Amino acid sequence: DAGVTQSPTHLIKTRGQQVTLRCSPKSGHDTVSWYQQALGQGPQFIFQYYEEEERQRGNFPDRFSGHQFPNYSSELNVNALLLGDSALYLCASSLRGYHEQYFGPGTRLTVT
Amino acid sequence: GNSVTQMEGPVTLSEEAFLTINCTYTATGYPSLFWYVQYPGEGLQLLLKATKADDKGSNKGFEATYRKETTSFHLEKGSVQVSDSAVYFCALSFSGGSGNTGKLIFGQGTTLQVKP
């Protein structure tokens, strides 16, 4: 049973560029959440997708957007990258209505 | 608002020592509580959980009890191993009903270093 997968593993971008990160949920899960983890900090909730719609959003600007596909996989897009966007981006999947979220290994984004 | 506070690290212990990592929370309502562990270079793994007051979560020798009266969920292990060295995160979430999505609110993490 494949767990949550994310791609790419690492990414280096320049300020002002745009980036797309991808996530495939654990088999049987229908809900995907995205978190940003700055170095030395706990993960911060960005948003959650269910039934291809954004259901809840954390305190992140509109530069952060996402999408969920019919197969439940998801993308996180960040526009106009800032140096402060450098972080580990974690995807978590769950089954709607259940507490447990399973995390992927993350994508390390470095903005220079 | 809802928040989680953990004891600051790093916590450095010798192998077979007793471990306690403190976690307290502030929440409107009755959240579920979790401990996640993050090994170097990896994502987060769920270690244990408790969904209501007085519940005890346990896994791999780790335990934590949901204390509503003290709003705490301290992590304990009787005898740590070098392989337990990692960052530990306490977190809370609310159930998926009434518009709650189950988003996790994390503490800042506590680094545990276990020396042989």
Side-chain angles (χ1 to χ4, degrees), chain B residues 8 11 19 25-26 38 40 45 52 61 63 69 87 90 92 97 102 110 115-116:
Chain B
E8 289 196 18
V11 174
L19 168 71
Y25 67 91
T26 301
Q38 187 173 37
Q45 297 176 26
K52 61 182 187 297
E63 293 183 341
E69 63 277 11
V87 182
C90 185
L92 67 81
T110 302
K115 298 187 174 181

Side-chain angles (χ1 to χ4, degrees), chain A residues 35 37 40-45 48 55-58 88 90 96-97 99-106, chain B residues 32 34 36 38 41-44 46 49 51 89 93-96 99-104 106-108:
Chain A
Y35 294 82
Q37 185 181 16
Q41 301 296 316
Q44 298 291 316
F45 176 77
Q48 184 182 87
R55 298 294 175 170
Q56 190 173 10
R57 188 179 186 90
L88 180 68
L90 295 165
R96 189 67 172 170
H99 293 284
E100 289 190 30
Q101 295 189 24
Y102 292 80
F103 283 81
Chain B
S32 293
F34 305 84
Y36 280 85
Q38 187 173 37
E42 298 185 12
L44 275 69
L46 178 63
K49 67 176 182 180
T51 58
F89 292 94
S93 76
F94 291 91
S95 64
N100 291 313
T101 61
K103 74 172 187 181
L104 288 161
F106 287 89
Q108 72 271 32

Side-chain angles (χ1 to χ4, degrees), chain A residues 44-112:
Chain A
Q44 298 291 316
F45 176 77
I46 302 175
F47 43 52
Q48 184 182 87
Y49 277 83
Y50 171 67
E51 289 186 336
E52 302 179 48
E53 290 190 16
E54 183 181 295
R55 298 294 175 170
Q56 190 173 10
R57 188 179 186 90
N59 188 25
F60 281 81
D62 292 345
R63 298 187 297 108
F64 289 76
S65 63
H67 188 77
Q68 185 179 35
F69 300 94
N71 66 354
Y72 308 119
S73 67
S74 177
E75 289 182 349
L76 164 66
N77 302 291
V78 187
N79 295 321
L81 285 166
L82 303 174
L83 294 179
D85 295 331
S86 295
L88 180 68
Y89 288 85
L90 295 165
C91 169
S93 74
S94 57
L95 189 58
R96 189 67 172 170
Y98 288 83
H99 293 284
E100 289 190 30
Q101 295 189 24
Y102 292 80
F103 283 81
T107 295
R108 173 73 63 188
L109 172 64
T110 302
V111 182
T112 62

